[in-house]
Amino acid sequence: MSTIVRKLISTANAAKPVAPYNQAVVADRTVYVSGCLGLDKNTMQLVPGGPTEQAEKALENLQAVLKAADSGVDKVVKNTVFLKDLNDFGAVNEVYKRVFNKDFPARSCFQVAKLPMDALVEIECIALTGSVETKTVQ
């Protein structure tokens, strides 16, 4: 039986984890990206503003982690978006669709009681690495 490699991903191009976890883990050709907050990677503080600004920064961090894992938004198969207030869904969705603008991945969105650092938005994903062909089946 062959050995599957488990790679622990860490990049200085995204905010560091705020607890004992990795930015992402790659198992075989699947990338599991931990929840990304709207943190400035230099100050490790939430960016000023509201859900729109935090979503923009969270997605910027997510893209940096995906790149470090030899992946990208075009290879994401599932996103999970956590919101402090589901009333922010529309504002966050406007930011989200600027990044995920075609061949949309599957997605869930939840309102949660509290997020780390009292954030308003957290986004995690599962993606693929390597050569990926997208086919639409109807």
Side-chain angles (χ1 to χ4, degrees):
M1 179 179 271
S2 64
T3 301
I4 293 177
V5 176
R6 177 178 174 257
K7 295 183 203 170
L8 307 179
I9 305 301
S10 178
T11 178
N13 294 324
K16 296 292 181 203
V18 297
Y21 57 86
N22 288 289
Q23 289 170 318
V25 175
V26 179
D28 198 20
R29 290 188 53 213
T30 304
V31 183
Y32 300 89
V33 179
S34 297
C36 293
L37 301 173
L39 292 173
D40 179 295
K41 67 182 172 78
N42 298 314
T43 66
M44 288 302 294
Q45 298 295 314
L46 291 168
V47 295
T52 298
E53 292 79 10
Q54 285 191 25
E56 287 170 343
K57 185 55 79 171
L59 286 164
E60 181 182 309
N61 287 326
L62 184 94
Q63 289 175 89
V65 174
L66 285 168
K67 183 176 181 183
D70 294 322
S71 188
V73 295
D74 60 320
K75 296 178 183 179
V76 171
V77 295
K78 173 74 164 71
N79 282 316
T80 306
V81 179
F82 303 97
L83 300 174
K84 184 175 181 178
D85 184 346
L86 201 54
N87 289 315
D88 295 332
F89 180 83
V92 171
N93 211 41
E94 288 302 311
V95 174
Y96 178 93
K97 69 183 181 183
R98 290 196 303 257
V99 174
F100 294 96
N101 52 33
K102 64 177 184 166
D103 300 328
F104 304 111
R107 183 180 85 172
S108 299
C109 183
F110 303 97
Q111 177 175 307
V112 295
K114 190 166 176 92
L115 290 167
M117 301 179 72
D118 209 24
L120 303 175
V121 179
E122 183 174 11
I123 304 171
E124 67 179 23
C125 77
I126 300 170
L128 303 173
T129 63
S131 178
V132 176
E133 179 183 353
T134 300
K135 292 183 178 182
T136 301
V137 179
Q138 297 185 13

